[in-house]
Amino acid sequence: MAQQAQEARTDCYAAVDIGASSGRVVVGYVEDGLIRLQEVHRFDNRQVRRHGHDCWDVDLLHTELLRGLACCKEAGFAPKTVGIDTWGVDFVLLDADDNLVGDAVAYRDARTNGMYEVADAIMAPEELYRRVGLQRQPFNTIYQLLALQREHPEQLEAADTFLMIPDYLNFLLTGQKAVEYTNASTTGLLNAETGAWDETVMAAFAIPRRLFPNVTHAGASLGSVLPEVAEVIGYEPRVVLPATHDTGSAYLAVPACEPPAVFLSSGTWSLLGVENRSPICSEGAFRANFTNEGGYHFRYRFLKNIMGLWMIQSIRRELNGIAYVVDEKAIRKGRLHQYMRVEGLGHEVGFADLIKAADEAEAAGVIASIVNVNDDRFLAPDSMIEEICAACEEAGQPAPETLGELMLCVYESLARCYRDAIEGLTALAGHGYASINIVGGGCRDDHLNRRTAQVCGLPVYAGPVEGTALGNLAVQMLADGAFPHLKAVRAAIAESFEVTKVEP
């Protein structure tokens, strides 16, 4: 073991990047002024049905986290620091003995149905937005807590600590409890101006302030991992807080080609917006339903949450007969059989198959039907294919009859939603934008990049793919002094990774 430890590279950092569909552990280091990456572990994220709700399997996430950090050592690395980022809004409650109280219910669960009405009777939505600046979405943490109050008030009574998902994973690594700012900003409980918990909102909604640790910021160190963790993974890194909300990390990695630029973090969700130095909580921003999410060093991500690649991911799972929630009832087949008869789809369907189908339909002159991708009906339908077909028919449009028509509908609908969001940004900012900069897994989708450029009338700069992991690593590198400031690390990212320009 001593010899292995001596051989392991220690001038490196590990980013644990967990999205709603999958997670990975990526090691990063600086070499000749460039940032180098190596993925050492990838795993599926899943939901399980427990006590009538769709929940995250946090035990599985913890197991895969430890496995991924151990894989660093197996690959010849012993990172000096580790950072974890995940999606936002979801949380766990711990009791006084640090045991879980209840389940980690997932944001796509239906428990928040009807919570808008409950919340609006307590505080006008305009007033709530003025204070917290958060886009109105049914899964925001504040609505989840309202649902929990009604279904399981005993859980809130028994709870001693509120932690968001990355905060909980950090606690399991270090024993330290800290709620990081960028993820906390997705709760609807953080004051947009001060960056602290809004005690007026908490009191109005009867949410116990005692549960919430004071907010900690990206770059802070939680100390070394626990001895039992070090024994499992084979080394003893410190845990540093990145922007723990994955979009906060992704925005750090945007090279910002051809400014003024719109940023688009493209994954399960499409987060389209800009980076500001102060929040915009105006009536116009409220009416346009833009959000002010916290960014690194008190920057603000002023953006629109758009359904994103979730619809495409769901179609792929459905064609392959895979349910998103383990133990969920079997997927309704409906019209699924007709898509399975497409030539070349006798094998497991990949994203390349879906892109090819859309390309062929476009080349054949198919006119796409359009749906509102942000409609809540697409959050967690039993069958995404059926839901898209039904939405088209209800709007008086033809339902897709082939896989190509189905994919063209999704792609065209997403591109138009991007265009509408950019028009909203332009109206609120009072100026136009020169480019769209896309990072994340979605930047590899050539069809979507091309249609986005054409529909929005702006050049698209696609890349880097590993945007979220890069942003996570960037904060660790800054905390360690590998770069003097954010501008320098962003310049290194731009120099280190390929960006593809797509003309409109």
Side-chain angles (χ1 to χ4, degrees):
M1 174 66 75
Q3 185 177 359
Q4 289 180 353
Q6 207 169 24
E7 294 173 352
R9 181 168 189 158
T10 59
D11 60 337
C12 57
Y13 316 85
V16 182
D17 172 29
I18 307 176
S21 298
S22 65
R24 63 259 181 93
V25 179
V26 178
V27 173
Y29 55 93
V30 182
E31 190 172 73
D32 299 326
L34 301 178
I35 298 174
R36 306 300 187 190
L37 301 181
Q38 182 172 330
E39 182 179 296
V40 298
H41 184 53
R42 181 176 286 268
F43 55 93
D44 289 334
N45 190 9
R46 70 184 189 193
Q47 292 180 13
V48 292
R49 191 76 178 167
R50 291 177 178 158
H51 307 111
H53 294 290
D54 297 341
C55 304
W56 297 110
D57 190 341
V58 290
D59 291 335
L60 173 69
L61 293 180
H62 180 224
T63 298
E64 293 290 358
L65 166 61
L66 294 180
R67 176 63 186 143
L69 296 180
C71 285
C72 294
K73 191 66 175 294
E74 295 168 10
F77 300 101
K80 60 172 70 176
T81 64
V82 173
I84 301 173
D85 67 77
T86 77
W87 65 98
V89 305
D90 288 338
F91 62 92
V92 298
L93 298 174
L94 303 182
D95 65 17
D97 297 318
D98 294 331
N99 298 312
L100 286 173
V101 178
D103 298 309
V105 178
Y107 65 87
R108 292 190 190 275
D109 185 76
R111 69 172 174 171
T112 56
N113 290 350
M115 288 303 108
Y116 282 165
E117 291 78 5
V118 174
D120 293 352
I122 297 170
M123 181 179 287
E126 296 88 346
E127 173 64 12
L128 182 62
Y129 185 84
R130 188 184 66 78
R131 300 191 69 89
V132 304
L134 197 66
Q135 181 178 348
R136 186 171 167 94
Q137 298 175 114
F139 45 73
N140 291 346
T141 312
I142 188 170
Y143 302 123
Q144 293 196 45
L145 287 167
L146 285 180
L148 187 63
Q149 283 176 350
R150 278 146 185 78
E151 185 180 11
H152 290 297
E154 75 283 357
Q155 291 185 9
L156 283 169
E157 191 66 33
D160 188 70
T161 308
F162 167 100
L163 294 176
M164 305 196 77
I165 298 298
D167 306 326
Y168 178 59
L169 296 175
N170 284 329
F171 167 69
L172 295 177
L173 286 182
T174 66
Q176 302 298 313
K177 298 174 183 175
V179 178
E180 191 273 328
Y181 167 67
T182 63
N183 222 315
S185 73
T186 70
T187 61
L189 299 170
L190 204 70
N191 187 279
E193 291 285 351
T194 67
W197 298 117
D198 193 310
E199 298 191 10
T200 299
V201 171
M202 287 182 163
F205 287 89
I207 295 170
R209 171 66 177 88
R210 63 178 177 81
L211 302 180
F212 295 78
N214 290 335
V215 175
T216 306
H217 285 266
S221 173
L222 299 184
S224 297
V225 298
L226 296 166
E228 54 267 34
V229 173
E231 184 175 356
V232 169
I233 67 176
Y235 56 102
E236 192 177 0
R238 290 180 296 110
V239 174
V240 169
L241 295 178
T244 62
H245 188 213
D246 49 13
T247 313
S249 281
Y251 266 44
L252 280 171
V254 177
C257 305
E258 201 171 339
V262 172
F263 295 175
L264 174 56
S265 175
S266 181
T268 298
W269 288 90
S270 289
L271 296 310
L272 187 150
V274 295
E275 192 175 64
N276 291 331
R277 297 298 298 185
S278 58
I280 302 175
C281 300
S282 64
E283 182 178 352
F286 168 73
R287 297 297 175 198
N289 207 23
F290 275 84
T291 202
N292 294 272
E293 293 179 355
Y296 178 67
H297 272 199
F298 266 113
R299 288 168 172 80
Y300 291 85
R301 290 172 284 119
F302 186 65
L303 55 83
K304 177 69 71 79
N305 281 276
I306 298 168
M307 193 66 73
L309 303 187
W310 164 252
M311 297 173 77
I312 297 172
Q313 294 165 349
S314 297
I315 289 168
R316 177 175 177 264
R317 275 191 296 268
E318 195 169 337
L319 290 171
N320 290 321
I322 300 170
Y324 182 58
V325 181
V326 178
D327 298 328
E328 188 184 37
K329 63 185 178 181
I331 295 173
R332 292 188 294 114
K333 294 299 180 183
R335 307 176 211 195
L336 183 55
H337 64 281
Q338 71 192 44
Y339 300 98
M340 297 299 288
R341 288 203 297 265
V342 175
E343 183 180 354
L345 291 185
H347 58 281
E348 180 176 327
V349 180
F351 291 113
D353 297 308
L354 304 181
I355 294 169
K356 180 182 177 183
D359 287 343
E360 291 175 348
E362 183 182 40
V366 170
I367 304 299
S369 295
I370 305 299
V371 298
N372 175 13
V373 296
N374 289 328
D375 194 316
D376 290 347
R377 69 191 299 166
F378 299 123
L379 272 175
D382 291 337
S383 164
M384 184 63 75
I385 293 173
E386 278 291 305
E387 202 66 39
I388 292 170
C389 290
C392 290
E393 290 174 337
E394 290 169 18
Q397 304 175 88
E401 295 183 354
T402 68
L403 181 59
E405 292 177 4
L406 179 73
M407 295 310 302
L408 212 58
C409 171
V410 174
Y411 280 128
E412 192 69 19
S413 299
L414 278 172
R416 293 193 185 195
C417 192
Y418 296 163
R419 179 194 62 195
D420 294 345
I422 292 171
E423 289 176 352
L425 280 173
T426 298
L428 289 165
H431 64 77
Y433 294 92
S435 67
I436 304 170
N437 290 227
I438 305 179
V439 297
C443 78
R444 290 178 292 195
D445 193 319
D446 293 338
H447 187 102
L448 184 56
N449 290 342
R450 179 169 49 77
R451 284 305 294 151
T452 298
Q454 291 169 347
V455 171
C456 298
L458 294 172
V460 163
Y461 292 88
V465 173
E466 297 290 350
T468 305
L470 271 170
N472 181 323
L473 291 165
V475 174
Q476 295 183 61
M477 291 173 177
L478 286 166
D480 191 48
F483 290 97
H485 44 65
L486 180 58
K487 185 177 180 180
V489 74
R490 277 180 161 162
I493 290 171
E495 182 71 18
S496 304
F497 298 94
E498 181 180 359
V499 174
T500 302
K501 183 177 182 180
V502 182
E503 295 286 359

